[in-house]
Amino acid sequence: MRTGSFLFREAAFIGGAWHSGSGPRIEVRNPATGGTVGHVPDLGGAETNQAIAAAAAAFPAWRTLPAGKRGELLNALHLALLTHIDDLAAIMTAEQGKPLAEARGEIQYGASFLKWFAEEARRVYGDTIPGPTSDRRILVFKEPVGVVAAITPWNFPNALIARKCAPALAAGCTVVIKPSELTPFSALALAALAEEVGFPPGVFNVVTGQPGPIGEAMTSSRDVRKLSFTGSTRVGKLLMRRSTETLKRVTLELGGNAPFIVFADADLDQAIAGLMMSKFRNAGQACVCANRILVQDEIYDEFAERLARAAGLLVVGDGMRAGVTIGPLINDAAVEKVLGHIDDARSRGARPALGGGAHVLGGRFVAPTVLTGVTTSMRVASEETFGPVAPLFRFHGEDEAIEIANSTRVGLAAYFYTQDIRRSWRVAERLEFGMVGLNSGSVSFEMAPFGGMKESGFGREGSKYGMDDYLNIKAVHIGHIN
């Protein structure tokens, strides 16, 4: 990637220094063009342990730094992201593929967490509890857990790092970040900005490489007291098992299979707009995107026609090009999975109202697709597609919609549209998901808790609750004060 920006780094960041490594390097390719973006060191357990040691050494001073000072540094990082938004977006689009406008939106979204937790750093309150006798007092302190390991995916390579690290740093923890080997440069750009604004050495570390050896070092280290992971349910379970040996605290934000329910009394303009936002953002490569669209029988045909018309306006192409609204999928395996879902549905009787296969551009581009006549026997009903495919399921009544929506082992996000106030309460309470959008296609903001139920994991990111997973509660008992 040709850039004069100091943000583009082809080295890991450990203990306040840049490490190019002496071993093999990983080639990062642009998913739209196939061209080489750059190379990063393929680090392993030894270098990861070095980063953990640097974070552990920096922890005592960082935890005792006044909360307001930590907040000032986080706010400076927030402002730095917004100042360099164009360079950060260009790096993200080059390595991840999403259109530049979406990349800029992600930078702003990530920056919002830095600002939010810069302010929350000052609001870590304790308690006093009445003692059992007149000469005793009980105090409750909240203290940082220690070194935090954060493993982040490729689909939101800036925002998910910010969403994890902002509360950790605000609480007084130090961090070691393992970004996806597919999109490491956004993480390294954040490290460059953290260095630029004055974070002490060892507080913010980024190690690059394959997930196996780095994850093994993180989960086996006794210095790492908290692990935060966003990714697949399968890998989340593996990391959780490995973390039991040292009884780490774990936050897991795992797979989703989000239902999007449209009742007959819904405002269809709102529902179409919400679905376009939820389904086709980042080419459908989001854990909270609508995966199963359930439409009531009375409006099914009209809704399908209107959705196909709206999705037909999407412009597919290289995210660097002006006017493009939907980019490529991340790699060939992703394309194979998405096309497999489409082929499976079509072979079982589904019909494309739009698209239905690869895009004419070829490569990693998949045509935005709307499928009608979809049933629960098809793969799109039980597997997370992670692509620009909108399968429309027909339902008759409220109970049937709830049953279909909840018939999944995961429970991250759900959406439903209705103008009936009574139904709004009933459905919101019955949906088994950690986040529910009522007449809204978005559920992720810095002031709201983000996380799931069932096999979508546990723990919350964002909001005032986002600090809790990075804090230990300590009770101090004071006796004989009289």
Side-chain angles (χ1 to χ4, degrees), residues 87-307:
D87 282 343
L88 291 168
I91 290 171
M92 185 187 303
T93 296
E95 65 177 349
Q96 200 277 335
K98 66 183 60 176
L100 278 171
E102 278 196 35
R104 290 190 187 94
E106 181 180 335
I107 303 303
Q108 292 172 326
Y109 175 65
S112 71
F113 286 94
L114 297 168
K115 182 172 180 59
W116 175 270
F117 285 106
E119 298 164 353
E120 287 296 295
R122 303 172 184 268
R123 303 188 183 103
V124 179
Y125 302 130
D127 291 296
T128 59
I129 299 175
T133 60
S134 62
D135 67 339
R136 295 183 66 90
R137 298 292 185 272
I138 303 171
L139 305 179
V140 177
F141 299 160
K142 292 184 179 180
E143 300 178 342
V145 298
V147 176
V148 171
I151 302 177
T152 58
W154 51 263
N155 55 340
F156 292 93
N158 174 287
L160 295 191
I161 291 175
R163 199 168 72 190
K164 293 179 185 302
C165 293
L169 295 167
C173 302
T174 52
V175 298
V176 179
I177 302 156
K178 193 280 176 200
S180 169
E181 65 278 10
L182 300 175
T183 56
F185 293 116
S186 291
L188 296 169
L190 274 172
L193 288 177
E195 179 184 38
E196 177 81 1
V197 302
F199 275 82
V203 171
F204 192 102
N205 305 273
V206 178
V207 290
T208 59
Q210 298 298 333
I214 294 176
E216 175 64 29
M218 286 176 163
T219 53
S220 62
S221 172
R222 295 190 180 278
D223 285 331
V224 174
R225 298 310 312 150
K226 167 69 189 287
L227 174 72
S228 181
F229 169 74
T230 295
S232 72
T233 297
R234 180 186 63 82
V235 174
K237 290 178 178 179
L238 174 64
L239 292 170
M240 185 175 178
R241 283 196 298 271
R242 290 180 174 176
S243 296
T244 58
E245 289 299 316
T246 52
L247 288 180
K248 298 188 197 315
R249 294 176 64 174
V250 179
T251 292
L252 299 175
E253 193 264 282
L254 308 178
N257 189 4
F260 190 105
I261 308 170
V262 185
F263 289 99
D265 64 356
D267 182 317
L268 292 193
D269 290 335
Q270 292 180 0
I272 294 291
L275 181 55
M276 291 297 297
M277 177 192 304
S278 174
K279 175 70 262 181
F280 294 105
R281 179 172 59 112
N282 199 22
Q285 300 173 114
C287 54
V288 295
C289 81
N291 201 60
R292 298 168 293 153
I293 297 96
L294 315 180
V295 184
Q296 199 156 14
D297 183 65
E298 298 95 306
I299 60 168
Y300 186 93
D301 293 336
E302 179 186 358
F303 187 87
E305 180 182 342
R306 294 178 64 170
L307 177 62

Side-chain angles (χ1 to χ4, degrees), residues 433-478:
F433 297 83
M435 297 171 289
V436 176
L438 167 57
N439 296 329
S440 172
S442 58
V443 293
S444 185
F445 303 93
E446 74 274 14
M447 70 287 294
F450 188 103
M453 298 177 177
K454 300 190 286 188
E455 292 191 18
S456 284
F458 41 76
R460 292 296 181 267
E461 296 177 342
S463 81
K464 67 176 184 179
Y465 304 105
M467 294 284 283
D468 293 346
D469 283 345
Y470 299 94
L471 294 167
N472 286 325
I473 294 177
K474 176 188 289 184
V476 178
H477 296 257
I478 306 172

Side-chain angles (χ1 to χ4, degrees), residues 1 7-14 18-29 36-44 47 91 95 157 177-191 206-211 214:
M1 179 177 179
L7 299 178
F8 185 75
R9 304 295 180 104
E10 296 183 271
F13 190 63
I14 300 173
W18 294 95
H19 292 255
S20 297
S22 57
R25 297 176 70 78
I26 295 173
E27 182 181 36
V28 179
R29 289 185 172 274
T36 299
V37 179
H39 300 79
V40 294
D42 187 4
L43 303 181
E47 295 88 353
I91 290 171
E95 65 177 349
I177 302 156
K178 193 280 176 200
S180 169
E181 65 278 10
L182 300 175
T183 56
F185 293 116
S186 291
L188 296 169
L190 274 172
V206 178
V207 290
T208 59
Q210 298 298 333
I214 294 176

Side-chain angles (χ1 to χ4, degrees), residues 346-466:
R346 296 185 69 172
S347 71
R348 295 171 185 264
R351 300 173 301 280
L354 177 74
H359 194 270
V360 293
L361 291 173
R364 295 175 179 172
F365 296 98
V366 173
T369 295
V370 176
L371 295 175
T372 61
V374 180
T375 67
T376 56
S377 66
M378 300 172 184
R379 288 176 61 191
V380 291
S382 57
E383 299 178 15
E384 189 175 20
T385 301
F386 240 58
V389 180
L392 303 188
F393 299 75
R394 190 186 297 264
F395 74 90
H396 298 283
E398 182 179 310
D399 288 342
E400 182 186 7
I402 296 297
E403 181 180 359
I404 295 172
N406 287 340
S407 63
T408 174
R409 292 185 299 175
V410 293
L412 187 59
Y415 311 86
F416 72 100
Y417 278 71
T418 180
Q419 297 186 80
D420 185 330
I421 185 68
R422 294 167 298 179
R423 173 178 282 148
S424 298
W425 282 101
R426 291 194 306 266
V427 175
E429 292 175 351
R430 294 177 65 191
L431 286 170
E432 297 170 353
F433 297 83
M435 297 171 289
V436 176
L438 167 57
N439 296 329
S440 172
S442 58
V443 293
S444 185
F445 303 93
E446 74 274 14
M447 70 287 294
F450 188 103
M453 298 177 177
K454 300 190 286 188
E455 292 191 18
S456 284
F458 41 76
R460 292 296 181 267
E461 296 177 342
S463 81
K464 67 176 184 179
Y465 304 105

